[in-house]
Each structure stands twice: as structure tokens, then as C-alpha cells.
Amino acid sequence: MDTLETRIAIKRLHPLFVAEVTGIDLTVPVPREDFRVIWDAFNEHQILVFRDQHFDDESQIAFSRHFGTLETMIAHPGNDWNPGHISVMTNLGKDGNFLPPDHPAMLHRERNEAWHSDSSFKPVAALASLLASRIVPPVGGNTDFASARAAYEALPAERKAALEGLTALHRMTYRDMDNDKGYKEEDKQRHVVTHPVIRTNPVNGRKALYVGSHAQEIVGMPPAEGASLLDELTAFCTQPQFVYSHHWRDGDAVMWDNRCTLHRATTFDKTQYKRKLHRTTIAGKTPDSAFARMPGA
Ligand code: OGA
Ligand code: MN
């Protein structure tokens, strides 16, 4: 009789990663058995795309909590100085009008246009992020994703072996971009952590490169040498064959695994088109790094 039973369907959107999940409304309480399907898909496909989910902050937070404890952001330009669980990716001020291009919040968000993994500068790096549309631009403003798992798996065996055991130093601020963006020296020093260059997903044992713009030095290597190795690895991960570009539609929500993917914002006409996406960020469960002193500081 029950022909209307919801059935979650999972469809790959890229040969190597990214799946679209249909047949479920995430804005209402999600049963445990449905969450299990989503959790398994998340670990397998690394990026999950959900369409026609019209989240508000409350329902987005409620769904995100299935994945674990949410990160709480301090007040900063990226969340309109509202501390809490929501980070706001937008070119609009609180009044809904366009922000001028030199506004601190615009400069802060421009950093998202560099490939990165969210919160990799924290001692417990983020497990996942859920970015959900509020207002989407008609043209541009895609979010690009790269599979650092597929990239790792494509490395020759001897390269994998050479990278095994390396540790990178991650900073909140970006090497080349941030000197003039209003960050105080103490902010730059505050978040300096180390993480392994190769991370293993404990659920399925799959390994991935853990690099991106926050990763800036290799522990035990001269800074410039480590930086160029990390740049090379980030460039390797972000080759076209490992990249999926998400064009945002109204009602879209995309969840990504920060342990094995990199992402970046792409630009759009920020004086013509409005863009507003809200992000919740799920903290990692196990401390997989320790605070490190910044070499040479
Ligand atoms: C983020 C992010 C990219 C974008 O939300 O963490 O990097 O396209 N966003 O807004
Ligand atoms: Mn990000």
C-alpha cells in the first residue's frame, strides 16, 4: 500500500566523488535510519548535494547536529560579528544592501577564493561543513570542490611513501593574502597547529592529502621548501579531473567532508548580484593535532 514511502536515492555527479541525495526533506526531523544512509554516503562520496531544501538557521543547525558538535565562531567579519553556529557567505550587509568591495567583511570572504579545508587551523579541525543557499546569484559564484582523496589515490606508490608521516603547520591567516587585511599580529599567531599531511578516514580507511591554503610549512623542513611542497600538493589535488564545480540554485545545500576535500569560492559580479549562503560547521571528534609553535616566530 505504501507507495509514497520516502526512498532516499543517491546519484553520483562526478566520476570520482560528489553525490546528489534525493528523496528526503532535511528541514524536518530526520529519522536515525535515514541519517545512517546520509552518513554512509558522506563517507563514501565526500560531497553531498541536496536540492530544494529551504533551510532556515534553526533547521540547518538541527540537521547539522546529527554529524556532531557544531563549531562556534567567534564574532568576526565572516559572520557579521554575530558569534554562533552560522557563518555567512555574502556580499550583502545586514541591511540587505551591497557591501563596498573594500569592506572588511568582503576582504575577509575573498580569502575563500583560495583552496582550503575549513578550520584546518584549529587544533581539532572541522569534520564537515554544510553550506545552504539563502540568495543565489544567477551567474557565477560557484563553489569548487576538489577530492584530495582521489588525488592521493592517484599518486605513485613511492610518492605516497615519501609523504607518509609528514606533518604540516596550518595557520589561520594565509601566507600571501592577509598581511594587510586588518588582522592583528596576535590573531596571526593565535591559531598555529599541526596536522598530518595524509589523513585517514577512520570509517573506511581511505587516505587523503590534507593541504590547502592554511597549510604553510612542513615540520622539520626549511619554511620555503615546505611551502613549495604544500603548494605542489594543493595544485596536484585541484587539477581539473579532481574538481567538481557547484552552480548554486535556490534551495541547494551542499555538505562536504573537510578531511578529504578542498574547496574555494569563485567570483561573480558582486556589485550586481546578491549572494548569501549560510554555513554550519561540524567539529572533528578526535584531536588529531597538537598546538605547535610557529617555527621562526
Ligand atoms: C565556506 C566557503 C565558499 C563559497 O563556506 O566555507 O569557503 O563559495 N564558501 O562561498
Ligand atoms: Mn570554506
Side-chain angles (χ1 to χ4, degrees):
M1 281 295 288
D2 190 7
T3 51
L4 292 178
E5 189 191 357
T6 53
R7 274 315 76 204
I8 303 177
I10 291 168
K11 183 179 99 186
R12 263 302 251 273
L13 299 182
H14 181 281
L16 297 170
F17 71 138
V18 190
E20 180 176 344
V21 180
T22 53
I24 184 162
D25 181 356
L26 305 177
T27 68
V28 297
V30 170
R32 243 4 241 171
E33 62 273 23
D34 287 352
F35 178 67
R36 159 59 65 186
V37 175
I38 293 171
W39 172 248
D40 289 345
F42 168 77
N43 281 294
E44 174 64 24
H45 303 293
Q46 311 159 60
I47 313 272
L48 300 180
V49 173
F50 306 95
R51 308 274 191 190
D52 306 313
Q53 306 287 338
H54 294 275
F55 281 115
D56 58 15
D57 289 351
E58 201 186 329
S59 56
Q60 182 169 347
I61 287 170
F63 172 65
S64 302
R65 284 208 160 109
H66 283 276
F67 288 81
T69 307
L70 303 191
E71 289 192 358
T72 304
M73 310 293 170
I74 53 164
H76 71 94
N79 55 22
D80 292 337
W81 286 275
N82 285 325
H85 294 315
I86 298 284
S87 299
V88 185
M89 309 296 144
T90 190
N91 57 330
L92 309 175
K94 280 188 191 163
D95 59 5
N97 292 322
F98 291 107
L99 289 171
D102 59 352
H103 189 280
M106 294 290 277
L107 297 174
H108 178 86
R109 291 179 184 121
E110 230 165 64
R111 307 154 82 234
N112 284 337
E113 293 175 22
W115 289 102
H116 64 281
S117 173
D118 290 332
S119 299
S120 78
F121 52 84
K122 294 186 179 175
V124 179
L127 168 71
S129 301
L130 177 65
L131 190 60
S133 67
R134 299 294 190 271
I135 305 173
V136 300
V139 183
N142 280 19
T143 307
D144 290 345
F145 295 95
S147 176
R149 180 190 290 173
Y152 171 81
E153 289 173 356
L155 287 172
E158 60 279 11
R159 195 76 206 276
K160 289 180 182 155
L163 295 171
E164 200 66 54
L166 291 185
T167 300
L169 195 147
H170 294 238
R171 291 197 183 93
M172 183 181 74
T173 49
Y174 291 165
R175 199 163 55 239
D176 305 323
M177 293 176 75
D178 277 332
N179 295 332
D180 42 340
K181 291 199 177 160
Y183 288 92
K184 297 194 287 289
E185 200 50 38
E186 62 184 276
D187 292 332
K188 294 191 201 166
Q189 306 291 340
R190 193 178 321 134
H191 294 293
V192 182
V193 303
T194 58
H195 294 291
V197 171
I198 298 171
R199 288 187 76 177
T200 306
N201 175 320
V203 173
N204 55 24
R206 306 279 293 272
K207 291 183 177 184
L209 291 166
Y210 193 60
V211 289
S213 302
H214 295 298
Q216 297 175 5
E217 294 179 33
I218 300 278
V219 175
M221 268 188 201
E225 200 181 309
S228 75
L229 172 58
L230 289 162
D231 287 348
E232 182 211 323
L233 295 174
T234 299
F236 185 80
C237 290
T238 57
Q239 296 173 92
Q241 67 269 33
F242 303 130
V243 171
Y244 162 81
S245 185
H246 186 76
H247 172 68
W248 289 93
R249 290 197 265 168
D250 192 31
D252 282 0
V254 179
M255 175 152 237
W256 60 87
D257 186 337
N258 281 298
R259 299 168 300 181
C260 60
T261 63
L262 296 171
H263 63 280
R264 67 171 179 192
T266 67
T267 196
F268 63 103
D269 188 340
K270 294 174 188 166
T271 60
Q272 292 292 323
Y273 300 134
K274 297 184 173 187
R275 183 179 193 263
K276 193 175 188 204
L277 304 163
H278 282 192
R279 191 186 93 197
T280 39
T281 315
I282 296 97
K285 278 214 175 81
T286 48
D288 55 2
S289 76
F291 276 104
R293 273 174 44 81
M294 183 163 60

